[in-house]
Amino acid sequence: MEPDVKQLFKGMSLTDEDKELQQKMELEMKMLDGTAKLLAAAHQMSQQLEGAKTLLVCQTRMRAYMLELQRRRNAQALPSVEKKPPSCNGQVALSDIRVPLLWSNDEHFKGRGDSHRFAVFCVASIGTEVKDSELLVDVSPQNTDLSFDKLFLFEAVPSDFECEIQFFACQNNASMAAAIKQRKKLSDIPTSVGKRLSVTKRPDDLYSPKFHEIARCKVALDDATGMIRTYDLAVDAEQEDALPLMGHFCARVAVIPDCLLQADFIGILECQGTRMSCTLKNLELECSDAEHSTTLTIPITKVSTT
């Protein structure tokens, strides 16, 4: 049974951020309901796969919202503690994701693995921000790797962030397509006959694609080099007929602090009797006089922490 979002927030002293979270959860519940209806009515394999993917991403996003709601509830229930000084937020970019595949020689070179076809996508999340990649719909032994073109961009991220990357796969072969075709034929049966068949044939018995998590990885600030590098994957070894992952993947993780993109301070500085308009941005102090006839840029090379 779907939860009542308003009931989840009952008893809380709602802030503007809480109301925004509530609206996001209500929207996600509507997306879940609408996607489930479209998935039940879809008769083409591509529609089924896209619907199953959307459903899983919505569920992942809802779990992230629920965890955030629980965190806020705990924060209101516990006694107030001294808050840590705010850290510098920034942007996190994740791109150039490639996952090598280790097919057997017979599968890759002799074409004996044509039945092993998969649909694959990945999800990257930081806190309540959950973003999904494009869907690779025809991954076969002819593919030596999984390559995702999506650029995942997260904004206003604290320095202690943790980005989780999850990979999901679903078999996509001829037998699955035949099951979808059978489902369409059954839906065309006259209503009177359909009612009798429904006694012995439930919708759950018909094929509906389901994505399973096959691997995951977590990266943090220390992993952000701005260059493509290799990261270890935690692979789910219990999945039968799964993609032959090698236990690692390549990606580019880049971070840029907001203080390098936005003006950190704007004000008036008096130097030797001259008042100058100053802007502190990108570790530089730009100064100009009232007539803007004199402009001075001072690089910040040392910062005192006391």
Side-chain angles (χ1 to χ4, degrees):
M1 184 175 179
E2 296 179 353
D4 185 348
V5 174
K6 291 184 179 180
Q7 285 295 114
L8 296 175
F9 286 82
K10 188 177 181 179
M12 291 182 62
S13 177
L14 298 183
T15 64
D16 290 341
E17 291 182 349
D18 295 331
K19 293 177 182 178
E20 181 182 358
L21 179 61
Q22 180 178 337
Q23 291 175 354
K24 288 181 178 179
M25 294 178 70
E26 290 174 345
L27 175 61
E28 216 60 40
M29 291 301 299
K30 292 179 181 178
M31 285 286 294
L32 280 168
D33 183 58
T35 302
K37 292 178 180 178
L38 289 174
L39 189 58
H43 297 306
Q44 295 183 9
M45 190 61 175
S46 59
Q47 296 173 338
Q48 286 271 327
L49 290 171
E50 286 290 351
K53 170 180 177 283
T54 302
L55 201 62
L56 190 147
V57 173
C58 289
Q59 292 170 344
T60 303
R61 195 171 285 121
M62 274 299 295
R63 283 194 293 269
Y65 291 157
M66 293 294 288
L67 288 173
E68 175 64 16
L69 175 60
Q70 186 60 44
R71 185 193 68 80
R72 296 184 185 185
R73 277 187 172 277
N74 293 339
Q76 288 191 5
L78 294 175
S80 59
V81 296
E82 184 179 353
K83 295 183 179 181
K84 297 180 180 179
S87 61
C88 178
N89 290 346
Q91 294 184 0
V92 177
L94 173 67
S95 63
D96 301 291
I97 298 177
R98 296 185 66 183
V99 186
L101 300 176
L102 190 61
W103 301 101
S104 67
N105 288 338
D106 285 344
E107 290 174 323
H108 180 65
F109 293 106
K110 300 180 180 180
R112 296 180 182 176
D114 289 341
S115 61
H116 295 289
R117 293 182 178 275
F118 298 85
V120 189
F121 71 98
C122 68
V123 171
S125 57
I126 298 179
T128 58
E129 291 295 318
V130 179
K131 302 178 183 292
D132 58 303
S133 74
E134 68 276 18
L135 179 64
L136 307 180
V137 295
D138 192 21
V139 177
S140 71
Q142 300 304 311
N143 299 99
T144 57
D145 60 27
L146 307 173
S147 181
F148 298 95
D149 298 328
K150 176 70 176 287
L151 167 64
F152 298 94
L153 183 62
F154 300 88
E155 298 181 340
V157 178
S159 59
D160 59 349
F161 76 90
E162 187 175 67
C163 179
E164 184 174 40
I165 307 162
Q166 299 169 275
F167 297 89
F168 298 90
C170 171
Q171 283 197 346
N172 178 19
N173 52 38
S175 62
M176 302 304 181
I180 295 295
K181 188 176 181 180
Q182 178 193 9
R183 176 177 179 169
K184 185 178 186 302
K185 288 181 178 179
L186 288 175
S187 67
D188 294 336
I189 295 176
T191 305
S192 59
V193 180
K195 287 182 178 179
R196 293 197 297 271
L197 285 176
S198 64
V199 176
T200 58
K201 194 74 173 178
R202 299 172 303 171
D204 292 342
D205 296 330
L206 301 176
Y207 172 71
S208 181
K210 291 182 176 60
F211 284 91
H212 300 278
E213 183 183 17
I214 57 174
R216 68 170 56 198
C217 175
K218 292 183 179 180
V219 295
L221 181 61
D222 292 340
D223 301 305
T225 62
M227 298 182 293
I228 297 177
R229 53 166 291 191
T230 302
Y231 300 92
D232 293 330
L233 268 179
V235 179
D236 185 356
E238 297 182 0
Q239 293 290 338
E240 296 182 1
D241 298 326
L243 279 168
L245 304 180
M246 297 180 65
H248 59 266
F249 75 108
C250 299
R252 186 195 308 272
V253 182
V255 174
I256 182 168
D258 287 342
C259 60
L260 299 184
L261 302 174
Q262 306 169 1
D264 197 48
F265 174 81
I266 298 177
I268 301 298
L269 176 65
E270 185 170 340
C271 181
Q272 296 181 348
T274 302
R275 292 173 59 85
M276 308 188 76
S277 175
C278 299
T279 301
L280 179 61
K281 177 182 177 181
N282 195 15
L283 298 180
E284 291 183 342
L285 184 64
E286 297 182 358
C287 305
S288 60
D289 58 15
E291 291 78 17
H292 296 281
S293 58
T294 302
T295 301
L296 179 64
T297 300
I298 306 174
I300 308 299
T301 59
K302 184 177 181 181
V303 178
S304 175
T305 57
T306 58

